[in-house]
Structure formats: C-alpha cells, structure tokens
Amino acid sequence: MRLVVLGSAAGGGVPQWNCACENCRAARAGRIAARTQDSLAVTVDGERWVLLNASPDLRVQLAATPALHPRAARHTPIAAIVLTNGDIDHTVGLFSLRESQPLAVYSTRAVWRGLADGNVLTRTLERFPGQLVFRPLEIGHPTSIADPAGAPTGVEITAVAAPGKLPVHLLRSAPSREDNIALLLRDRAQARLCAYAPGVARVDDELIDALAGASCVFFDGTFYYEDELQRRGLGAARAADMAHLPIGGPGGSLTRLARLPARRRIYTHVNNSNPILDPSSEERRAVDAAGWQVAEDGLEVLP
Ligand SMILES: [Zn+2]
Ligand SMILES: [Zn+2]
C-alpha cells in the first residue's frame, strides 16, 4: 500500500482566499509551504488509485501528481472516491470529475443522502446509466473498494464512526453516527493497517481501539488551541464548536493519542490558523518532540 497526501490543509487551504493571518501571509510570500485542502490518494497495485475525499482543489492536486494522470486519450487511474463526511472541503471536487467519466463513490448512506438529495449538480455526473455508481460503507464492516465496473482495487476500507458534526449547510437534519467517519485502510496482501481521521471532535474508546491497530495514523490537525481563532483575531468559534479536537492542551490529541503504537503519526487537515505550520514555532517543536509529523502536499507514505 502506498499513500500520497494530495492536500494537507483544512477547509479554506493555506493561504485562504479571504485571510491575511500570519500563516496566510507567510504562505503567499513563500516563507512556509502553501497547502491545498484535505485529500489522500491510496494504491495497492501502483496502477489504480482510490481518492479519500474530493477537495475543491482536486483539479490542481491531480495536475501535481503524475501517478494520477491519464494514460490514454480518455482515461483516469482513479478507480474510486471515498468520502469521510459531507463537508464542502471534502466533496466539491467530485463535480470537477465530470466529462463523462464513470465514477465509483463510497460513503455512508447518510453522507450520500446529504450530498445527493435535491442537489441538481449530481446530474452532471449521471449523464448516462452507470456513470455514477454509489456504494454504501457500513460502519464496522470491511468493504473491498472496486472500480465502477466492479473490479477490486485491493484496498479494503472499514468505516469507524468518529464524533463530528453535520456540514453547516445541513444543520436542520437530525444527526447520525454516519455523518462523520474515520477510515481504516487495509492492503489485503499485507497485515498493515493505516488510519485516516481528518475530522474528529472527541476521541472515544471506539475510535482509540480502531487507531490502536494501525501502523500509520493520519489525524485531525485542524487546530492547536481550543481558542485558536480568538487568539489570532480570526473569529469567535472555538475548536469544539467546529467539531475538531485541538492538538495541544490537557485533553488534546497529543495527550490523548500518546500511547498509540503507530510507527508513523501524521497531522493533516491543518487549518491556516495553526501555529504548527511554521516550522520554527514552539507548537511545531512540541509536535515534533512527541513523534508526530505534519503533512505537506505531495508527501508519500508507505505504511
Ligand atoms: Zn474538512
Ligand atoms: Zn489565514
């Protein structure tokens, strides 16, 4: 199994279009790495790839990743797309994958209903029968990920319920355990597991147990501080209001996940407000010292 980080930023990216915070200014000036919005690509055979989330930056991410370029007049190495929730920063890229290309999309039924019900834009992915194949992920059940024609990719995924929240545009619906998931990825030929949990409001026992089996963990690095937006003068919302467990602080993920056996631990989905984006910050040093890495776009990982 081989993974490539297509995008390592939270919603908005780094820099964010309407932000002139310290990090966004540094990214525009080239002093820190710019980052596109959260997505990973994974392959077992090196030929067919599964996208984990489809960010609004997908077109640029594909252009920057030679392994995902077409190999014939009309072709894509993307065999399937898996969604962890229905947030804009994880789903809008689907609509950039039109041009009459068959697509296989996996998510929980709740996420798919939230995205597709009453959404006229999905018709652009349904121009002919079989163009868009939706296949549900059931929480706790391993699913073999296959291409639109049904050929297995060798990637097996188990959805784990992760505390989160509904997308802002769906606030009126009743919440469900299916609204936000983490993914456990398994290469059927290897015993190794990799976990991907880009949005996590709380670490409960169910999630800890799931992460404990993985040799490589990608985890929600949105905020370092619970009151980070306030500290930086960027807004009133706290990390908890936005359903993201902060990295630092007594109940933060550095402490909560300190005992995970994973060989590789990588923070991704990093918000532009987060001081760990600056390699010289004390927060970044704390993360480094605890054995965590901060994802950058283009990072390749062999779990
Ligand atoms: Zn997100
Ligand atoms: Zn900013």
Side-chain angles (χ1 to χ4, degrees), residues 16 19-24 234 272-273:
Q16 178 176 311
C19 189
C21 76
E22 223 172 293
N23 284 334
C24 287
L234 299 174
N272 60 77
S273 55

Side-chain angles (χ1 to χ4, degrees), residues 36-303:
T36 61
Q37 293 164 89
D38 179 71
S39 178
L40 297 184
V42 57
T43 186
V44 163
D45 62 13
E47 292 293 317
R48 289 164 313 154
W49 291 78
V50 178
L51 298 186
L52 311 180
N53 287 330
S55 107
D57 301 316
L58 185 53
R59 186 180 162 278
V60 176
Q61 294 167 341
L62 298 183
T65 312
L68 297 175
H69 292 175
R71 299 185 195 116
R74 281 286 193 268
H75 169 265
T76 178
I78 300 169
I81 302 116
V82 181
L83 306 174
T84 59
N85 69 19
D87 284 346
I88 294 281
D89 61 315
H90 299 167
T91 58
V92 163
L94 270 185
F95 302 104
S96 298
L97 301 179
R98 58 197 195 287
E99 324 301 357
S100 300
Q101 184 68 46
L103 301 175
V105 178
Y106 291 79
S107 73
T108 62
R109 286 192 176 84
V111 164
W112 187 248
R113 277 196 304 271
L115 182 66
D117 281 4
N119 182 0
V120 293
L121 291 183
T122 57
R123 287 182 206 154
T124 200
L125 305 177
E126 296 169 309
R127 296 174 187 180
F128 54 87
Q131 184 186 356
L132 179 69
V133 183
F134 169 70
R135 300 194 187 109
L137 292 177
E138 310 278 354
I139 287 173
H141 292 274
T143 300
S144 162
I145 305 298
D147 71 10
T153 60
V155 179
E156 184 185 271
I157 289 187
T158 305
V160 182
K165 70 169 183 52
L166 277 166
V168 176
H169 56 274
L170 291 181
L171 270 182
R172 275 167 300 168
S173 321
S176 134
R177 261 165 63 80
E178 289 198 344
D179 291 334
N180 186 59
I181 56 172
L183 305 176
L184 278 182
L185 315 169
R186 187 193 297 272
D187 171 346
R188 300 205 73 172
Q190 291 179 340
R192 292 227 172 101
L193 278 177
C194 182
Y196 171 55
V200 175
R202 288 183 314 283
V203 188
D204 57 15
D205 292 346
E206 190 177 341
L207 186 57
I208 288 258
D209 287 351
L211 299 180
S215 58
C216 161
V217 171
F218 287 88
F219 197 80
D220 183 344
T222 309
F223 298 117
Y224 192 90
Y225 295 107
E226 176 62 32
D227 60 351
E228 188 167 299
L229 295 179
Q230 293 158 46
R231 281 176 187 237
R232 298 215 157 193
L234 299 174
R238 298 177 66 81
D241 301 331
M242 301 175 80
H244 291 292
L245 179 72
I247 295 171
S253 57
L254 269 189
T255 307
R256 294 286 283 127
L257 302 180
R259 278 191 242 272
L260 279 189
R263 217 163 35 85
R264 298 283 302 263
R265 306 135 184 251
I266 302 168
Y267 280 120
T268 195
H269 196 278
V270 185
N271 197 53
N272 60 77
S273 55
N274 193 326
I276 64 171
L277 290 176
D278 177 354
S280 65
S281 67
E282 73 179 78
E283 293 85 352
R284 174 65 163 266
R285 283 196 294 273
V287 162
D288 292 346
W292 284 79
Q293 187 178 357
V294 179
E296 288 199 13
D297 293 15
L299 175 72
E300 288 210 23
V301 176
L302 300 170

